[in-house]
């Protein structure tokens, strides 16, 4: 028989206002096995904890029940309290009489009655509790960062700075991400490349960081501290160790008509290419979709001109296996497709561009060498209309996104301002629904666009754009002016909503990391654990978690790195002992548990058992890896023979709770 | 009917949800009949939300709406202003307790800007 102590918390008036705590303590004192039952204003306070510890020593308690808030809040607190008094921490049960009782009831009688029942159920469970000991698992001191944009770069640099090995996996031929395509950054207007490329060089020169460019994560196995990752290094048909990045091949390649993705298809590149001048690694890549040599075996020009002998048409994809202790997701974002917004004539006129395309048109390394020219006839545009919230804040998910993309107000103000600065003869209109500029020096920046640069900010929306005689007829509303506007524009720039990269969802499946309906990775807690995934050992950095600008991304990247460092600094991790365990005598080897386990924690093995009359027989039985098991309990439900049980939440314990509630 | 009930009734008949409106003005930007309407689509939605039904019932503009549904098609919030305008027209008919529009009365109501489509649809509707 257990000797149980019951401690009823008032939580100030949170519980005591709706539950008669005195009555609960008195009623629970009558339960079998309860040797002491008391109540106190704040059980989680130092005094409350001492009260529990004294009771454990004084009454030689073998188990305790704390009737208080949700176990998510203070279960860990009371477990530590018990442990300090010499009681196994898994002999502590929490009866949640706040979130599940006092907060949801108004009537004190009902609340008190329910609190007693919840306490009784917890007591019934403690009767069947057994002391558990947490195991330990080692930590591989190496981190993987998936994505080589500014988020991934900053995370990798910070982790490496603490002395740990980091690998970056980037699917493109170079690291740099979206920031490398951006011209200037708000609100300071410093050149993006000038602040990004030193960081890219730092990554390349850092001995602790290894870059797997043109590579993708193929498979992830294992668990926190012990991930086993397969990386597919795609064939780039160029030997990275030999290529000097001289670029001669990219000038001589006869295949000139490949859309240049770095400039968003606004110009062309060769079939063998280096994305941009400051690419890291500065190594050429052959685009197999366009290379004549790879497609038909005729050409070989790049191989002939390469003085380093780096071209290798026979290169194949390579699979690399590597162990990691932690994984950081930094897969970033993309602007959404404009296919579903026919009213803006994006597909009809090349002069209707997205903001990222406009960024390239303004960039000195862009298709126009930094001179703003209309894509259609390469003339200077005199009237430019910016449309905000294209695809953001939409009600129907088939057309756009329900969220605010957050960065568009600021980059549109930046584009408008830079355009007026460089070309004062240009009329610039910005159609906005709301101007959202929270952030340090952000609103001042937007006001400068209006007051100092004479950008026409119009509260309203563009209804339709019609290409006509080389102009774009823009029909829009001016809500504050109470009029419809008709503007003959030379260019229209759409602030397209941003969405997570398409690679995020399959990656989330591999990592068993959760996502929201928009495919953004979910954080473990929206306020208190913003850079951790609910899956242990997976961390989030940058726009893969939600729309954010560069300063926020860099801040989050540093935060994710510090969490990774905290993990990698440990030699061992304490495992959760509340894991599944199979009773080998009852297991019939059906594999049902193995199939439902989302963590791959269950394996089957043939084991020798002693039979009657000195015989032995070999049976196939399930075995749980306690380090991998997360204690979700799916297997205990799936097991047809009742062999699988969850320690600390056994079937008999749960039934005892149900019986106590229904008594 | 009381204004509050009438507002509810108009919303019910329309099947639309004006509260979804984020006041972007894309409906008004899109509206091809903008110059003919004294009350513009986005104002219309706002007036329904704020219960300014009297003004809407007495508006001539509600009959100039072409029912082209461009506002519904392009609204990013699925507010469906055209349905609300239609519901107000229905409310006018019902309020007068006279569910008929006599062909003889039409010439007096015509103006040059009124598209034929609107006349045909009005007849179809009010001749029930």
């Amino acid at each position: 028989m257990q000797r149980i102590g019951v401690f009823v918390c008032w939580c100030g008036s949170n519980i005591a206002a709706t539950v008669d705590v005195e009555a609960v303590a008195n009623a629970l004192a009558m339960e079998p096995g309860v040797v002491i039952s008391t109540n106190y204003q704040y059980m989680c306070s130092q005094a409350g904890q001492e009260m529990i510890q004294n009771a454990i020593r004084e009454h030689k308690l073998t188990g305790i029940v704390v009737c208080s808030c949700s176990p998510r809040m203070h279960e860990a607190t009371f477990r530590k309290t018990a442990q300090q008094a010499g009681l196994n921490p898994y002999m502590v049960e929490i009866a949640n009489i706040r979130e599940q009782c006092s907060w949801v009831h108004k009537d004190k009688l009902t609340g008190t009655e329910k609190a007693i029942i919840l306490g009784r159920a917890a007591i019934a469970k403690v009767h069947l509790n057994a002391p558990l000991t947490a195991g330990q698992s080692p930590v591989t001191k190496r981190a993987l960062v998936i994505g080589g944009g500014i988020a991934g770069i900053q995370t990798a640099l910070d982790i490496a700075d603490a002395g740990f090995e980091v690998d970056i996996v980037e699917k493109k031929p170079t690291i740099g991400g979206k920031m490398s395509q951006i011209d200037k950054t708000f609100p300071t207007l410093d050149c993006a490349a000038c602040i990004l490329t030193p960081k890219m060089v730092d990554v390349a020169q850092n001995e602790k960081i290894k870059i797997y460019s043109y590579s993708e994560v193929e498979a992830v196995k294992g668990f926190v501290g012990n991930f086993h990752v397969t990386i597919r290094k795609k064939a780039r048909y160029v030997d990275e160790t030999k290529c000097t990045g001289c670029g001669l091949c990219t000038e001589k390649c006869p295949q000139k008509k490949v859309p240049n993705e770095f400039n968003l298809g606004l110009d062309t590149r060769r079939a063998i290419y280096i994305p941009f001048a400051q690419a890291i690694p500065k190594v050429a890549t052959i685009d197999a979709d366009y290379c004549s040599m790879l497609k038909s075996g005729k050409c070989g020009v790049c191989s002939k001109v390469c003085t380093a002998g780096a071209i290798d048409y026979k290169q194949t994809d390579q699979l690399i296996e590597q162990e990691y202790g932690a994984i950081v997701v930094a897969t970033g974002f993309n602007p959404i497709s404009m296919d579903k917004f026919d009213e803006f004539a994006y597909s009809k006129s090349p002069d209707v561009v997205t903001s990222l395309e406009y960024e390239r048109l303004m960039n000195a390394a862009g298709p126009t060498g930094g001179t703003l020219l209309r894509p259609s006839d390469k003339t200077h545009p005199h009237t430019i209309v910016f449309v905000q919230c294209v695809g953001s804040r939409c009600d129907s998910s088939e057309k756009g996104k329900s969220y605010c993309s957050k960065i568009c107000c600021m980059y549109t103000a930046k584009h408008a301002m830079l355009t007026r600065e460089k070309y004062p003869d240009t009329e610039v209109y910005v159609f906005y629904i709301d101007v959202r500029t929270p952030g340090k020096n952000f609103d001042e920046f937007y006001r400068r666009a209006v007051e100092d640069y004479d950008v026409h900010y119009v509260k309203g929306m563009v209804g339709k754009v019609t290409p006509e005689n080389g102009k774009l007829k823009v029909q829009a509303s001016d809500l504050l002016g109470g009029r419809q506007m008709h503007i003959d524009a030379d260019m229209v720039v759409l602030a397209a909503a941003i969405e997570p990269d398409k690679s995020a969802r399959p990656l989330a499946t591999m990592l068993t990391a959760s996502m929201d309906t928009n495919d953004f990775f979910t954080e473990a807690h929206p306020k208190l654990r913003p850079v951790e995934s609910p899956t242990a050992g997976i961390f989030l950095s940058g726009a893969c978690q939600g729309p954010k600008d560069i300063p926020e991304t860099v801040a989050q990247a540093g935060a994710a790195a510090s969490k990774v460092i905290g993990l990698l600094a440990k030699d061992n991790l304490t495992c959760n002992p509340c894991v599944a365990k199979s009773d080998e005598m009852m297991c019939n080897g059906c594999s049902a548990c193995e199939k439902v386990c989302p963590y791959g924690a269950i394996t089957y093995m043939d084991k020798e058992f002693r039979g009657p009359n000195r015989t032995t027989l070999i049976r196939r039985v399930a075995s749980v890896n306690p380090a991998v098991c997360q204690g979700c309990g799916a297997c205990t439900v799936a097991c047809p023979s009742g062999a699988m049980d969850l320690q600390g939440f056994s079937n008999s314990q749960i039934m005892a709770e149900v019986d106590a509630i229904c008594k | 009917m009381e204004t509050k009930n009438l507002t509810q009734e108009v919303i019910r008949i329309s099947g639309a949800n004006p509260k979804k409106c984020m006041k972007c003005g894309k409906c008004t930007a899109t509206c091809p009949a903008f110059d003919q309407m004294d009350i513009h689509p986005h104002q219309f939605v706002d007036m329904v939300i704020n219960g300014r039904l009297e003004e809407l019932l007495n508006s001539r503009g509600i009959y100039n709406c072409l029912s082209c549904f461009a506002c519904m098609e392009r609204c990013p919030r699925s507010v469906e202003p055209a349905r609300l305008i239609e519901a107000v027209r229905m409310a006018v008919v019902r309020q007068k307790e006279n569910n008929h529009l006599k062909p003889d009365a039409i010439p007096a109501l015509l103006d040059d800007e009124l598209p034929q489509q609107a006349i045909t649809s009005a007849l179809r509707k009010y001749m029930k």
Side-chain angles (χ1 to χ4, degrees), chain B residues 90 93-94 96-101 125-128:
Chain B
M90 298 286 283
V93 174
R94 289 180 189 189
K96 286 178 181 162
E97 296 174 351
N98 180 5
N99 220 356
H100 299 280
L101 175 68
K125 207 153 26 196
Y126 304 125
M127 287 288 285
K128 278 172 201 163

Side-chain angles (χ1 to χ4, degrees), chain A residues 112-145:
Chain A
T112 308
E113 195 188 340
K114 183 167 165 183
I116 293 169
I117 293 169
L118 290 170
R120 203 189 287 148
I123 293 166
K125 190 179 174 210
V126 173
H127 271 293
L128 299 171
N129 273 19
L132 298 173
T133 313
Q136 296 211 308
S137 66
V139 178
T140 308
K141 295 185 177 284
R142 190 184 190 94
L144 171 65
V145 175

Side-chain angles (χ1 to χ4, degrees), chain A residues 212 261 297 409 502 621 635 637:
Chain A
Y212 291 105
E261 55 280 87
C409 283
K502 292 274 182 267
V621 290
C635 55
V637 184

Side-chain angles (χ1 to χ4, degrees), chain A residues 256-324:
Chain A
K256 297 177 182 172
K257 295 218 168 116
V258 187
N260 183 356
E261 55 280 87
F262 187 72
N263 284 334
L264 301 149
L266 292 166
D267 65 352
T268 54
R269 59 163 169 81
R270 310 293 173 105
I272 185 164
Y273 66 109
I274 297 173
F276 55 98
Q278 304 99 319
I280 301 254
K282 189 145 189 210
V283 173
T285 304
I286 296 181
D287 188 335
D289 292 339
Y290 292 94
C291 173
S292 317
M293 188 65 185
L294 290 172
K295 278 165 73 182
S296 59
K298 291 181 197 127
C299 184
V301 169
C302 51
S303 173
K304 280 174 211 135
V305 299
C306 180
T307 51
I311 309 292
D312 175 10
Y313 298 118
K314 296 213 161 56
Q315 206 176 63
T316 50
D317 288 7
Q318 239 183 307
L319 291 179
I320 297 157
E321 310 272 325
Q322 187 64 258
E323 305 289 328
Y324 297 100

Side-chain angles (χ1 to χ4, degrees), chain B residues 44-90:
Chain B
F44 202 96
V45 175
D46 186 66
M47 287 163 83
V48 172
I49 294 171
N50 291 311
R52 292 165 64 184
L53 260 284
E54 284 302 316
E55 292 162 69
L56 290 179
L57 294 171
N58 296 319
S59 154
R60 297 291 308 156
I62 60 174
Y63 304 102
N64 290 337
C65 165
L66 302 173
S67 299
C68 71
F69 300 137
C71 52
M72 279 170 61
E73 173 62 24
R74 294 189 188 151
C75 174
R77 306 284 314 161
S78 321
V79 174
E80 310 189 321
R83 281 192 199 280
L84 287 171
I85 296 175
E86 174 66 18
V88 171
R89 287 191 289 233
M90 298 286 283

Side-chain angles (χ1 to χ4, degrees), chain A residues 495-553:
Chain A
I498 59 172
E499 65 180 355
D501 191 81
K502 292 274 182 267
S503 64
R505 183 154 279 278
L507 182 65
T509 310
M510 270 188 249
L511 298 170
T512 64
S514 54
M515 290 187 129
D516 64 17
T517 49
N518 293 312
D519 280 8
F520 285 114
F521 280 85
T522 337
E523 53 282 5
H525 189 285
K527 287 159 209 124
L528 303 176
R529 294 175 68 192
V531 297
E532 296 155 84
S533 159
T535 306
I538 310 291
F539 302 88
L540 311 174
S541 178
C544 69
Q545 180 258 343
K548 42 180 80 64
D549 60 20
I550 295 167
E552 281 180 323
T553 297

